[in-house]
Amino acid sequence: MTIPSIAANAYQNTARLTGQGGSQSLGGGLGGALGGKSGSPSFGDMVETAVQGVVDQGRVADTKTVDMMNGKANVVDVVTAVSETEVALQTMVSVRDKVIAAYEEIMRMSI
């Protein structure tokens, strides 16, 4: 498992999810999301895209595992794919937990 490639993939996925494409600054992406621009993705769209990315990574890992069983893939590639899928899934669970914690905290606030 190569940490730099995982970090690069995570950055690329984050940039894609926020609609920045890597060419705009972080402030521009946040301004668009907060300003309500019609071209900016909604939170639901971002979550859906992130979940679909995790599912796609899982499918790639499954395909590589089957290829290894058929003698067409390298063990290192399979382990790397499975590890990247595991990291993506753990990240998704962590984000879910943070969203739930934020929601619970908002519900505890007095108005």
Coordinates of all heavy atoms in Angstrom, one line a residue:
M1 N 0.9 -1.2 0.0 CA 0.0 0.0 0.0 C 0.9 1.2 0.0 O 1.8 1.4 0.8 CB -0.9 0.0 1.2 CG -1.8 1.2 1.3 SD -3.0 1.0 2.6 CE -2.1 1.3 4.1
T2 N 0.6 2.1 -0.9 CA 1.4 3.3 -1.0 C 0.6 4.5 -0.5 O -0.4 4.8 -1.1 CB 1.9 3.6 -2.5 OG1 0.7 3.7 -3.3 CG2 2.7 2.5 -3.0
I3 N 1.1 5.1 0.5 CA 0.4 6.2 1.2 C 0.3 7.5 0.2 O -0.7 8.1 0.2 CB 1.1 6.6 2.5 CG1 1.1 5.4 3.4 CG2 0.5 7.8 3.1 CD1 -0.3 4.9 3.8
P4 N 1.4 7.8 -0.5 CA 1.3 9.0 -1.4 C 0.2 8.8 -2.4 O -0.6 9.8 -2.7 CB 2.6 9.1 -2.0 CG 3.6 8.5 -1.1 CD 2.8 7.4 -0.5
S5 N 0.0 7.6 -3.0 CA -1.0 7.5 -4.0 C -2.4 7.5 -3.4 O -3.3 8.0 -4.0 CB -0.8 6.2 -4.8 OG -1.1 5.1 -3.9
I6 N -2.6 7.0 -2.2 CA -3.9 7.1 -1.5 C -4.2 8.6 -1.2 O -5.3 9.0 -1.4 CB -3.8 6.3 -0.2 CG1 -3.8 4.8 -0.6 CG2 -5.1 6.5 0.6 CD1 -3.6 3.9 0.6
A7 N -3.2 9.3 -0.7 CA -3.4 10.7 -0.5 C -3.8 11.5 -1.7 O -4.6 12.3 -1.7 CB -2.2 11.3 0.2
A8 N -3.1 11.2 -2.8 CA -3.3 11.9 -4.1 C -4.7 11.5 -4.6 O -5.5 12.4 -5.1 CB -2.3 11.5 -5.1
N9 N -5.1 10.3 -4.4 CA -6.5 9.9 -4.8 C -7.5 10.5 -4.0 O -8.6 11.0 -4.5 CB -6.7 8.3 -4.8 CG -5.9 7.6 -5.9 OD1 -5.6 8.2 -6.9 ND2 -5.6 6.4 -5.6
A10 N -7.3 10.6 -2.7 CA -8.2 11.3 -1.8 C -8.4 12.8 -2.1 O -9.5 13.3 -2.2 CB -7.8 11.1 -0.3
Y11 N -7.3 13.4 -2.4 CA -7.3 14.8 -2.8 C -8.1 15.0 -4.1 O -8.9 15.9 -4.2 CB -5.9 15.4 -3.0 CG -5.9 16.8 -3.5 CD1 -6.3 17.9 -2.6 CD2 -5.6 17.1 -4.8 CE1 -6.3 19.2 -3.1 CE2 -5.7 18.4 -5.3 CZ -6.0 19.4 -4.4 OH -6.1 20.7 -4.9
Q12 N -7.8 14.1 -5.1 CA -8.5 14.2 -6.4 C -10.0 14.0 -6.2 O -10.8 14.7 -6.8 CB -7.9 13.2 -7.3 CG -8.5 13.2 -8.7 CD -7.8 12.1 -9.6 OE1 -7.4 11.1 -9.1 NE2 -7.9 12.4 -10.9
N13 N -10.4 13.0 -5.4 CA -11.8 12.7 -5.1 C -12.5 13.9 -4.4 O -13.6 14.3 -4.8 CB -12.0 11.5 -4.3 CG -11.7 10.2 -5.1 OD1 -11.7 10.2 -6.3 ND2 -11.4 9.1 -4.4
T14 N -11.8 14.5 -3.5 CA -12.3 15.7 -2.8 C -12.5 16.8 -3.7 O -13.5 17.5 -3.7 CB -11.4 16.1 -1.6 OG1 -11.3 15.0 -0.7 CG2 -12.0 17.2 -0.8
A15 N -11.5 17.1 -4.6 CA -11.6 18.2 -5.5 C -12.7 17.9 -6.5 O -13.5 18.8 -6.9 CB -10.3 18.3 -6.3
R16 N -12.9 16.7 -6.9 CA -14.0 16.3 -7.9 C -15.3 16.5 -7.2 O -16.3 17.0 -7.8 CB -13.8 14.9 -8.3 CG -14.9 14.4 -9.3 CD -14.6 13.1 -9.9 NE -14.2 12.1 -8.9 CZ -15.1 11.3 -8.2 NH1 -16.4 11.4 -8.4 NH2 -14.6 10.5 -7.3
L17 N -15.4 16.1 -5.9 CA -16.7 16.2 -5.2 C -17.1 17.6 -4.9 O -18.3 17.9 -5.0 CB -16.6 15.4 -3.9 CG -16.6 13.9 -3.9 CD1 -16.4 13.3 -2.6 CD2 -17.9 13.4 -4.5
T18 N -16.2 18.5 -4.7 CA -16.5 19.9 -4.4 C -16.6 20.7 -5.7 O -16.9 21.9 -5.6 CB -15.5 20.5 -3.5 OG1 -14.2 20.4 -4.1 CG2 -15.4 19.9 -2.1
G19 N -16.4 20.1 -6.8 CA -16.5 20.7 -8.1 C -15.4 21.7 -8.4 O -15.5 22.5 -9.3
Q20 N -14.3 21.6 -7.7 CA -13.2 22.5 -7.9 C -12.3 22.1 -9.1 O -11.7 22.9 -9.8 CB -12.3 22.6 -6.7 CG -13.0 23.2 -5.5 CD -12.1 23.1 -4.3 OE1 -11.0 22.6 -4.3 NE2 -12.6 23.7 -3.2
G21 N -12.2 20.8 -9.4 CA -11.4 20.3 -10.5 C -9.9 20.6 -10.3 O -9.1 20.5 -11.2
G22 N -9.5 21.0 -9.1 CA -8.1 21.3 -8.8 C -7.6 22.6 -9.2 O -6.5 23.0 -9.0
S23 N -8.4 23.4 -10.0 CA -7.9 24.7 -10.5 C -8.4 25.9 -9.7 O -7.8 26.9 -9.9 CB -8.4 24.8 -12.0 OG -9.8 24.9 -12.0
Q24 N -9.4 25.8 -8.9 CA -9.9 26.9 -8.1 C -9.4 26.8 -6.7 O -9.0 25.7 -6.2 CB -11.4 26.9 -8.1 CG -12.0 27.1 -9.4 CD -13.5 27.1 -9.4 OE1 -14.1 26.8 -8.3 NE2 -14.2 27.4 -10.5
S25 N -9.4 27.9 -6.0 CA -9.0 27.9 -4.6 C -10.1 27.3 -3.7 O -11.3 27.3 -4.1 CB -8.6 29.3 -4.1 OG -9.8 30.1 -4.1
L26 N -9.8 26.9 -2.5 CA -10.8 26.4 -1.6 C -11.8 27.4 -1.3 O -13.0 27.1 -1.2 CB -10.1 25.9 -0.3 CG -11.0 25.3 0.8 CD1 -11.6 24.1 0.2 CD2 -10.2 25.0 2.0
G27 N -11.4 28.7 -1.2 CA -12.4 29.7 -0.9 C -13.5 29.9 -2.0 O -14.6 30.1 -1.7
G28 N -13.0 29.7 -3.2 CA -14.0 29.8 -4.3 C -15.0 28.7 -4.3 O -16.2 28.9 -4.6
G29 N -14.6 27.5 -4.0 CA -15.5 26.4 -3.9 C -16.5 26.5 -2.7 O -17.7 26.3 -2.8
L30 N -16.0 27.1 -1.6 CA -16.9 27.3 -0.4 C -17.8 28.4 -0.7 O -19.0 28.4 -0.3 CB -16.1 27.5 0.8 CG -15.3 26.3 1.4 CD1 -14.5 26.8 2.6 CD2 -16.3 25.3 1.8
G31 N -17.3 29.4 -1.4 CA -18.2 30.6 -1.7 C -19.3 30.2 -2.6 O -20.5 30.6 -2.4
G32 N -19.1 29.3 -3.5 CA -20.1 28.8 -4.4 C -21.1 28.0 -3.7 O -22.3 28.1 -3.9
A33 N -20.7 27.2 -2.8 CA -21.6 26.3 -2.0 C -22.4 27.1 -1.0 O -23.6 26.9 -0.8 CB -20.8 25.2 -1.3
L34 N -21.8 28.1 -0.4 CA -22.5 28.9 0.5 C -23.4 30.0 -0.2 O -24.4 30.4 0.4 CB -21.5 29.6 1.5 CG -20.7 28.7 2.4 CD1 -19.7 29.5 3.2 CD2 -21.6 27.9 3.3
G35 N -23.0 30.4 -1.3 CA -23.7 31.5 -2.0 C -24.9 30.9 -2.8 O -25.7 31.7 -3.2
G36 N -25.0 29.6 -2.9 CA -26.2 29.0 -3.5 C -26.2 29.1 -5.1 O -27.2 29.2 -5.7
K37 N -25.0 29.1 -5.7 CA -24.9 29.1 -7.1 C -25.6 27.8 -7.7 O -25.5 26.8 -7.1 CB -23.4 29.1 -7.6 CG -22.7 30.4 -7.3 CD -21.2 30.3 -7.5 CE -20.8 29.9 -8.9 NZ -19.4 30.0 -9.1
S38 N -26.2 28.0 -8.8 CA -27.0 26.9 -9.3 C -26.1 25.8 -9.9 O -26.5 24.7 -10.0 CB -27.9 27.4 -10.5 OG -27.1 28.0 -11.5
G39 N -24.8 26.1 -10.2 CA -23.9 25.1 -10.7 C -23.2 24.3 -9.7 O -22.5 23.3 -10.0
S40 N -23.3 24.7 -8.4 CA -22.6 24.0 -7.4 C -23.4 22.7 -6.9 O -24.6 22.8 -6.9 CB -22.3 24.9 -6.2 OG -23.5 25.3 -5.6
P41 N -22.7 21.7 -6.6 CA -23.4 20.4 -6.2 C -24.0 20.6 -4.8 O -23.5 21.3 -4.0 CB -22.3 19.4 -6.2 CG -21.0 20.1 -5.9 CD -21.2 21.5 -6.6
S42 N -25.1 19.9 -4.6 CA -25.8 19.9 -3.3 C -25.0 18.9 -2.4 O -24.3 18.1 -2.8 CB -27.2 19.6 -3.4 OG -27.4 18.2 -3.8
F43 N -25.3 19.0 -1.1 CA -24.7 18.1 -0.2 C -25.1 16.7 -0.5 O -24.3 15.8 -0.4 CB -25.1 18.5 1.3 CG -24.5 17.5 2.3 CD1 -23.2 17.6 2.6 CD2 -25.3 16.6 2.9 CE1 -22.6 16.8 3.6 CE2 -24.8 15.7 3.9 CZ -23.4 15.9 4.2
G44 N -26.4 16.5 -0.8 CA -26.8 15.1 -1.2 C -26.1 14.6 -2.4 O -25.8 13.4 -2.4
D45 N -25.8 15.4 -3.4 CA -25.1 15.0 -4.6 C -23.6 14.6 -4.2 O -23.1 13.6 -4.7 CB -25.0 16.1 -5.6 CG -26.4 16.3 -6.2 OD1 -27.3 15.4 -6.2 OD2 -26.6 17.4 -6.8
M46 N -23.0 15.4 -3.3 CA -21.7 15.1 -2.9 C -21.6 13.7 -2.1 O -20.7 12.9 -2.4 CB -21.1 16.2 -2.0 CG -20.8 17.5 -2.7 SD -20.3 18.9 -1.7 CE -19.0 18.2 -0.7
V47 N -22.6 13.5 -1.3 CA -22.6 12.2 -0.5 C -22.9 11.1 -1.5 O -22.2 10.0 -1.4 CB -23.7 12.3 0.6 CG1 -23.9 10.9 1.2 CG2 -23.3 13.3 1.6
E48 N -23.8 11.3 -2.4 CA -24.1 10.2 -3.4 C -22.8 9.9 -4.3 O -22.5 8.7 -4.5 CB -25.2 10.6 -4.3 CG -25.6 9.6 -5.4 CD -26.7 10.1 -6.2 OE1 -27.4 11.1 -5.9 OE2 -27.0 9.4 -7.3
T49 N -22.1 10.9 -4.7 CA -20.9 10.7 -5.5 C -19.8 10.0 -4.6 O -19.1 9.1 -5.1 CB -20.3 12.0 -6.0 OG1 -21.4 12.7 -6.7 CG2 -19.1 11.8 -6.9
A50 N -19.7 10.4 -3.4 CA -18.7 9.7 -2.5 C -19.0 8.2 -2.3 O -18.2 7.4 -2.4 CB -18.6 10.4 -1.2
V51 N -20.3 8.0 -2.0 CA -20.7 6.6 -1.8 C -20.5 5.8 -3.1 O -20.0 4.6 -3.1 CB -22.2 6.5 -1.4 CG1 -22.7 5.1 -1.4 CG2 -22.3 7.1 0.0
Q52 N -20.8 6.3 -4.3 CA -20.6 5.6 -5.5 C -19.2 5.4 -5.8 O -18.8 4.3 -6.3 CB -21.2 6.5 -6.7 CG -21.2 5.7 -8.0 CD -22.0 4.4 -7.9 OE1 -23.1 4.4 -7.4 NE2 -21.5 3.4 -8.5
G53 N -18.3 6.3 -5.3 CA -16.8 6.1 -5.5 C -16.4 4.9 -4.6 O -15.6 4.1 -5.1
V54 N -16.9 4.8 -3.4 CA -16.5 3.7 -2.6 C -17.0 2.3 -3.2 O -16.3 1.3 -3.2 CB -17.1 3.9 -1.1 CG1 -16.9 2.6 -0.3 CG2 -16.4 5.1 -0.5
V55 N -18.3 2.4 -3.7 CA -18.8 1.2 -4.3 C -18.0 0.8 -5.5 O -17.7 -0.4 -5.7 CB -20.3 1.4 -4.7 CG1 -20.8 0.3 -5.6 CG2 -21.1 1.5 -3.5
D56 N -17.6 1.8 -6.3 CA -16.7 1.5 -7.5 C -15.4 0.9 -7.1 O -14.9 0.0 -7.8 CB -16.5 2.7 -8.4 CG -17.8 3.2 -9.0 OD1 -18.8 2.4 -9.1 OD2 -17.9 4.4 -9.5
Q57 N -14.8 1.4 -6.0 CA -13.5 0.9 -5.6 C -13.7 -0.6 -5.1 O -12.8 -1.4 -5.3 CB -13.0 1.7 -4.4 CG -12.3 3.0 -4.9 CD -11.6 3.7 -3.8 OE1 -12.1 3.7 -2.6 NE2 -10.5 4.4 -4.0
G58 N -14.8 -0.9 -4.5 CA -15.1 -2.2 -4.0 C -15.2 -3.2 -5.2 O -14.8 -4.3 -5.2
R59 N -15.9 -2.7 -6.3 CA -16.0 -3.5 -7.5 C -14.7 -3.8 -8.1 O -14.4 -4.9 -8.6 CB -17.0 -2.8 -8.5 CG -18.4 -2.9 -8.0 CD -19.4 -2.4 -9.1 NE -20.7 -2.5 -8.6 CZ -21.6 -1.6 -8.7 NH1 -21.3 -0.4 -9.3 NH2 -22.9 -1.7 -8.2
V60 N -13.8 -2.8 -8.1 CA -12.5 -3.0 -8.7 C -11.7 -4.0 -7.9 O -11.1 -4.9 -8.5 CB -11.7 -1.6 -8.8 CG1 -10.2 -1.8 -9.0 CG2 -12.3 -0.7 -9.8
A61 N -11.8 -3.9 -6.6 CA -11.1 -4.9 -5.7 C -11.7 -6.3 -5.9 O -10.9 -7.3 -6.0 CB -11.3 -4.5 -4.2
D62 N -13.0 -6.4 -6.1 CA -13.6 -7.7 -6.3 C -13.1 -8.3 -7.7 O -12.8 -9.5 -7.8 CB -15.1 -7.6 -6.4 CG -15.7 -7.4 -5.0 OD1 -15.0 -7.6 -4.0 OD2 -16.9 -7.0 -4.9
T63 N -13.1 -7.4 -8.7 CA -12.6 -7.9 -10.0 C -11.2 -8.3 -10.0 O -10.8 -9.4 -10.5 CB -12.8 -6.7 -11.0 OG1 -14.1 -6.3 -11.1 CG2 -12.3 -7.2 -12.4
K64 N -10.3 -7.6 -9.3 CA -8.9 -8.0 -9.2 C -8.8 -9.3 -8.4 O -7.9 -10.1 -8.7 CB -8.1 -6.9 -8.5 CG -7.9 -5.7 -9.5 CD -6.9 -4.7 -9.0 CE -6.7 -3.6 -10.0 NZ -5.6 -2.7 -9.7
T65 N -9.6 -9.5 -7.4 CA -9.6 -10.7 -6.6 C -9.9 -11.9 -7.5 O -9.3 -12.9 -7.4 CB -10.5 -10.6 -5.4 OG1 -10.2 -9.5 -4.6 CG2 -10.5 -11.9 -4.6
V66 N -11.0 -11.7 -8.3 CA -11.4 -12.8 -9.2 C -10.3 -13.1 -10.2 O -10.0 -14.2 -10.5 CB -12.7 -12.5 -9.9 CG1 -13.0 -13.5 -11.0 CG2 -13.9 -12.5 -8.8
D67 N -9.7 -12.0 -10.7 CA -8.6 -12.2 -11.7 C -7.4 -12.9 -11.1 O -6.8 -13.7 -11.7 CB -8.1 -10.8 -12.2 CG -9.1 -10.2 -13.2 OD1 -10.0 -10.9 -13.7 OD2 -9.0 -9.0 -13.5
M68 N -7.1 -12.6 -9.8 CA -6.0 -13.3 -9.1 C -6.3 -14.8 -9.0 O -5.5 -15.7 -9.2 CB -5.8 -12.7 -7.7 CG -4.6 -13.4 -7.1 SD -4.4 -13.0 -5.3 CE -5.7 -13.9 -4.6
M69 N -7.6 -15.1 -8.7 CA -8.0 -16.5 -8.5 C -7.9 -17.3 -9.9 O -7.6 -18.4 -9.9 CB -9.4 -16.6 -8.0 CG -9.6 -16.0 -6.6 SD -8.5 -16.8 -5.4 CE -9.5 -18.2 -5.0
N70 N -8.0 -16.5 -11.0 CA -7.9 -17.1 -12.3 C -6.5 -17.1 -12.8 O -6.2 -17.5 -13.9 CB -8.8 -16.4 -13.3 CG -10.3 -16.7 -13.0 OD1 -10.6 -17.8 -12.5 ND2 -11.1 -15.7 -13.3
G71 N -5.6 -16.5 -12.0 CA -4.2 -16.4 -12.4 C -3.8 -15.3 -13.3 O -2.8 -15.3 -13.9
K72 N -4.7 -14.3 -13.4 CA -4.5 -13.1 -14.3 C -4.0 -11.9 -13.6 O -3.7 -10.9 -14.3 CB -5.8 -12.8 -15.0 CG -6.3 -13.9 -15.9 CD -7.6 -13.6 -16.6 CE -8.1 -14.7 -17.4 NZ -9.4 -14.4 -18.0
A73 N -3.9 -11.9 -12.3 CA -3.6 -10.7 -11.5 C -2.5 -11.0 -10.5 O -2.3 -12.1 -10.1 CB -4.8 -10.1 -10.9
N74 N -1.8 -9.9 -10.1 CA -0.7 -10.0 -9.2 C -1.3 -9.9 -7.8 O -2.2 -9.1 -7.5 CB 0.3 -8.9 -9.4 CG 1.6 -9.0 -8.6 OD1 1.7 -9.8 -7.7 ND2 2.5 -8.1 -8.9
V75 N -0.7 -10.6 -6.8 CA -1.2 -10.5 -5.4 C -1.1 -9.1 -4.9 O -1.9 -8.6 -4.1 CB -0.5 -11.6 -4.5 CG1 -0.9 -11.4 -3.1 CG2 -0.7 -13.0 -5.0
V76 N 0.0 -8.4 -5.2 CA 0.3 -7.1 -4.7 C -0.8 -6.1 -5.2 O -1.3 -5.3 -4.4 CB 1.7 -6.6 -5.1 CG1 1.9 -5.1 -4.7 CG2 2.7 -7.5 -4.6
D77 N -1.2 -6.3 -6.4 CA -2.3 -5.4 -6.9 C -3.6 -5.6 -6.2 O -4.4 -4.7 -5.9 CB -2.5 -5.6 -8.4 CG -1.3 -5.2 -9.3 OD1 -0.6 -4.3 -8.8 OD2 -1.2 -5.7 -10.4
V78 N -3.9 -6.9 -5.9 CA -5.1 -7.2 -5.2 C -5.1 -6.7 -3.8 O -6.1 -6.1 -3.3 CB -5.4 -8.8 -5.1 CG1 -6.5 -9.1 -4.3 CG2 -5.5 -9.3 -6.5
V79 N -4.0 -6.8 -3.1 CA -3.9 -6.3 -1.7 C -4.0 -4.8 -1.7 O -4.6 -4.2 -0.8 CB -2.6 -6.8 -1.1 CG1 -2.3 -6.1 0.3 CG2 -2.6 -8.3 -0.9
T80 N -3.4 -4.2 -2.7 CA -3.4 -2.7 -2.8 C -4.9 -2.3 -3.0 O -5.3 -1.3 -2.4 CB -2.5 -2.2 -3.9 OG1 -1.2 -2.6 -3.6 CG2 -2.5 -0.7 -4.0
A81 N -5.6 -2.9 -3.9 CA -6.9 -2.5 -4.2 C -7.8 -2.7 -3.0 O -8.7 -1.9 -2.7 CB -7.5 -3.3 -5.4
V82 N -7.7 -3.8 -2.3 CA -8.5 -4.1 -1.1 C -8.2 -3.1 0.0 O -9.1 -2.6 0.7 CB -8.3 -5.5 -0.6 CG1 -8.9 -5.8 0.7 CG2 -8.8 -6.5 -1.6
S83 N -6.9 -2.7 0.2 CA -6.5 -1.8 1.2 C -7.1 -0.4 0.9 O -7.5 0.3 1.8 CB -5.0 -1.7 1.3 OG -4.5 -2.9 1.7
E84 N -7.0 0.0 -0.4 CA -7.6 1.3 -0.8 C -9.1 1.4 -0.5 O -9.6 2.4 -0.1 CB -7.2 1.6 -2.2 CG -5.8 2.0 -2.4 CD -5.4 2.3 -3.9 OE1 -6.3 2.0 -4.8 OE2 -4.3 2.7 -4.1
T85 N -9.7 0.3 -0.8 CA -11.2 0.2 -0.6 C -11.5 0.3 0.9 O -12.4 0.9 1.3 CB -11.7 -1.1 -1.2 OG1 -11.5 -1.2 -2.6 CG2 -13.2 -1.2 -1.0
E86 N -10.7 -0.4 1.7 CA -10.8 -0.4 3.1 C -10.7 1.0 3.7 O -11.5 1.5 4.5 CB -9.9 -1.3 3.8 CG -10.0 -1.4 5.3 CD -9.0 -2.4 6.0 OE1 -8.1 -2.9 5.3 OE2 -9.2 -2.6 7.2
V87 N -9.6 1.7 3.2 CA -9.4 3.1 3.7 C -10.6 4.0 3.2 O -11.1 4.8 4.0 CB -8.1 3.6 3.1 CG1 -8.0 5.1 3.3 CG2 -6.9 2.9 3.7
A88 N -11.1 3.8 2.0 CA -12.2 4.7 1.6 C -13.5 4.4 2.4 O -14.2 5.3 2.8 CB -12.5 4.4 0.1
L89 N -13.7 3.1 2.7 CA -14.9 2.8 3.5 C -14.7 3.3 4.9 O -15.7 3.9 5.5 CB -15.0 1.3 3.6 CG -16.3 0.8 4.2 CD1 -17.5 1.3 3.5 CD2 -16.3 -0.8 4.2
Q90 N -13.5 3.2 5.5 CA -13.3 3.8 6.9 C -13.5 5.3 6.9 O -14.1 5.9 7.8 CB -11.9 3.4 7.4 CG -11.8 1.9 7.7 CD -10.3 1.6 8.1 OE1 -9.4 2.4 7.9 NE2 -10.2 0.4 8.6
T91 N -13.1 5.9 5.8 CA -13.2 7.4 5.7 C -14.7 7.7 5.6 O -15.2 8.7 6.3 CB -12.5 7.9 4.5 OG1 -11.1 7.6 4.6 CG2 -12.6 9.4 4.4
M92 N -15.5 7.0 4.8 CA -16.9 7.2 4.7 C -17.6 7.0 6.0 O -18.5 7.8 6.4 CB -17.5 6.3 3.6 CG -18.9 6.5 3.4 SD -19.3 8.1 2.7 CE -18.7 7.9 1.0
V93 N -17.2 6.0 6.8 CA -17.9 5.8 8.1 C -17.5 6.9 9.0 O -18.4 7.3 9.8 CB -17.5 4.4 8.6 CG1 -17.9 4.2 10.1 CG2 -18.0 3.3 7.8
S94 N -16.3 7.4 9.0 CA -15.9 8.5 9.9 C -16.7 9.7 9.5 O -17.1 10.5 10.5 CB -14.4 8.8 9.7 OG -13.7 7.7 10.2
V95 N -16.9 10.0 8.3 CA -17.6 11.2 7.9 C -19.1 11.0 8.3 O -19.7 12.0 8.8 CB -17.5 11.4 6.3 CG1 -18.5 12.5 5.9 CG2 -16.1 11.8 5.9
R96 N -19.6 9.8 8.1 CA -21.0 9.6 8.6 C -21.2 9.8 10.1 O -22.1 10.5 10.5 CB -21.4 8.2 8.3 CG -22.8 7.8 8.7 CD -23.1 6.4 9.0 NE -22.2 6.0 10.1 CZ -22.1 4.7 10.5 NH1 -22.7 3.8 9.9 NH2 -21.3 4.4 11.5
D97 N -20.2 9.3 10.9 CA -20.2 9.5 12.3 C -20.2 11.0 12.7 O -20.9 11.5 13.6 CB -19.1 8.8 13.0 CG -19.3 7.3 12.9 OD1 -20.4 6.8 12.6 OD2 -18.3 6.5 13.1
K98 N -19.3 11.8 12.0 CA -19.2 13.2 12.2 C -20.5 13.9 11.9 O -21.0 14.8 12.6 CB -18.1 13.8 11.4 CG -16.7 13.4 11.9 CD -16.4 14.0 13.3 CE -15.0 13.6 13.7 NZ -14.6 14.2 14.9
V99 N -21.2 13.6 10.8 CA -22.4 14.2 10.4 C -23.5 13.9 11.4 O -24.3 14.8 11.8 CB -22.9 13.7 9.0 CG1 -24.3 14.1 8.7 CG2 -21.9 14.3 7.9
I100 N -23.6 12.7 11.9 CA -24.5 12.3 12.9 C -24.3 13.0 14.2 O -25.2 13.6 14.9 CB -24.6 10.8 13.2 CG1 -25.1 10.1 11.9 CG2 -25.3 10.4 14.4 CD1 -25.0 8.6 12.0
A101 N -23.0 13.2 14.6 CA -22.7 13.9 15.8 C -23.0 15.4 15.7 O -23.6 16.0 16.7 CB -21.2 13.7 16.1
A102 N -22.8 15.9 14.5 CA -23.2 17.4 14.3 C -24.7 17.5 14.4 O -25.2 18.5 15.0 CB -22.6 17.8 13.0
Y103 N -25.4 16.6 13.8 CA -26.9 16.7 13.8 C -27.4 16.6 15.3 O -28.2 17.4 15.7 CB -27.5 15.6 13.0 CG -29.0 15.5 13.1 CD1 -29.8 16.4 12.4 CD2 -29.6 14.5 13.9 CE1 -31.2 16.3 12.5 CE2 -31.0 14.4 14.0 CZ -31.7 15.3 13.3 OH -33.1 15.2 13.4
E104 N -26.8 15.7 16.0 CA -27.2 15.5 17.4 C -26.9 16.7 18.3 O -27.7 17.2 19.1 CB -26.6 14.3 18.0 CG -27.1 13.0 17.5 CD -26.4 11.8 18.0 OE1 -25.2 11.9 18.5 OE2 -26.9 10.6 17.8
E105 N -25.8 17.4 18.0 CA -25.4 18.6 18.7 C -26.4 19.7 18.3 O -26.8 20.5 19.2 CB -24.0 19.0 18.4 CG -23.5 20.2 19.2 CD -22.0 20.4 18.9 OE1 -21.3 19.5 18.5 OE2 -21.6 21.6 19.2
I106 N -26.7 19.8 17.1 CA -27.7 20.9 16.7 C -29.0 20.7 17.3 O -29.7 21.6 17.8 CB -27.8 20.9 15.1 CG1 -26.5 21.5 14.5 CG2 -29.0 21.7 14.7 CD1 -26.4 21.3 13.0
M107 N -29.5 19.4 17.4 CA -30.7 19.1 18.0 C -30.7 19.4 19.5 O -31.8 19.7 20.1 CB -31.1 17.6 17.8 CG -31.4 17.3 16.4 SD -32.6 18.4 15.6 CE -34.1 17.9 16.4
R108 N -29.6 19.4 20.2 CA -29.5 19.7 21.6 C -29.5 21.2 21.9 O -29.7 21.7 23.0 CB -28.2 19.1 22.2 CG -28.3 17.6 22.5 CD -27.2 17.2 23.3 NE -25.9 17.4 22.7 CZ -25.2 16.5 22.0 NH1 -25.6 15.3 22.0 NH2 -24.0 16.8 21.5
M109 N -29.3 22.0 20.8 CA -29.2 23.5 21.0 C -30.6 24.0 21.4 O -31.6 23.6 20.8 CB -28.7 24.2 19.7 CG -27.3 23.9 19.4 SD -26.9 24.9 18.0 CE -25.2 24.4 17.8
S110 N -30.6 25.0 22.3 CA -31.8 25.7 22.6 C -32.0 26.9 21.7 O -31.1 27.6 21.3 CB -31.9 26.1 24.0 OG -30.8 27.0 24.3
I111 N -33.3 27.1 21.3 CA -33.5 28.2 20.3 C -34.1 29.3 21.1 O -34.9 29.3 21.9 CB -34.5 27.7 19.2 CG1 -33.8 26.6 18.4 CG2 -34.9 28.8 18.3 CD1 -34.6 26.0 17.3

